[in-house]
Amino acid sequence: MEHATFAGGCFWCMVKPFGELPGIHGIVSGYTGGHVENPTYEQVKTGTTGHYEAVQITYDPDVFPYQKLLNLYWPQIDPTDDGGQFIDRGPQYRTAIFYHTEEQKKLAEQSKKEVEESGRFNKPIVTEILPATAFYPAEDYHQDFYKKNPKAYKQERVESGRDAFIEENWGEKS
């Protein structure tokens, strides 16, 4: 098993696209990239801890290669927005790929270059590729939010503008 860590704005919206696929053995919503140990949601949401809201995926690379995870990641985000994602604003909602190995770094950089060269966006791609650091699981009520609160989850995706952006820019429905 290996880990992949992605920040794509609100972590609630980043779980379902990767969930329940062959080779995916777990997805945890949490915080990474900051300077506070064991941060809470209340601390992270202030935007002062340096953390990103992120998901950490445990996967079997023989069944679901890292490249497939990257291919799923990009169409979940606006890679040109450095101030957050959709309605969620602040540094805790920025996008980033946190690599755990040099191979992941290489593949992430290559996939970012492909997005940059695709001509899909007329603004620079600002999603960072960073080394993985300590990952702190979020509180229990944040885990599997889309399963526990399907109506609120669906409403969040629509009201935030995420679904409309994805459909318009990536040609995919959530």
Side-chain angles (χ1 to χ4, degrees):
M1 295 298 145
E2 293 185 16
H3 287 108
T5 306
F6 300 117
C10 173
F11 48 34
W12 292 348
C13 296
M14 293 299 296
V15 175
K16 186 177 180 184
F18 298 98
E20 301 172 20
L21 296 171
I24 305 296
H25 292 272
I27 306 170
V28 177
S29 295
Y31 317 109
T32 193
H35 59 276
V36 173
E37 285 189 36
N38 297 306
T40 65
Y41 177 70
E42 293 301 316
Q43 291 173 308
V44 172
K45 78 176 187 177
T46 67
T48 61
T49 67
H51 289 91
Y52 295 70
E53 282 197 12
V55 292
Q56 189 162 83
I57 301 165
T58 303
Y59 69 101
D60 181 342
D62 293 331
V63 177
F64 207 96
Y66 187 70
Q67 185 64 53
K68 282 180 76 171
L69 291 171
L70 290 167
N71 293 344
L72 273 175
Y73 169 72
W74 289 108
Q76 306 309 314
I77 64 168
D78 175 354
T80 68
D81 188 348
D82 63 0
Q85 286 290 282
F86 314 105
I87 201 170
D88 297 312
R89 310 312 301 160
Q92 68 274 31
Y93 297 114
R94 293 169 294 157
T95 60
I97 298 169
F98 293 90
Y99 61 88
H100 294 263
T101 66
E102 286 303 309
E103 179 66 12
Q104 284 186 355
K105 178 182 180 182
K106 184 181 105 188
L107 291 169
E109 288 173 344
Q110 180 182 337
S111 71
K112 180 178 177 178
K113 184 177 180 189
E114 289 169 7
V115 171
E116 288 170 335
E117 293 175 350
S118 72
R120 185 179 298 272
F121 299 99
N122 59 10
K123 296 188 288 185
I125 304 303
V126 297
T127 301
E128 294 188 90
I129 298 171
L130 303 168
T133 59
F135 183 88
Y136 302 99
E139 296 78 359
D140 284 345
Y141 69 93
H142 289 298
Q143 305 303 329
D144 293 319
F145 187 83
Y146 78 98
K147 290 180 182 177
K148 295 176 187 172
N149 302 287
K151 188 175 178 181
Y153 169 77
K154 193 170 201 163
Q155 187 173 346
E156 165 75 18
R157 289 191 62 99
V158 171
E159 290 179 0
S160 71
R162 184 182 289 264
D163 283 349
F165 177 89
I166 290 170
E167 189 171 346
E168 180 181 336
N169 291 278
W170 294 99
E172 298 185 17
K173 290 187 183 250
S174 61

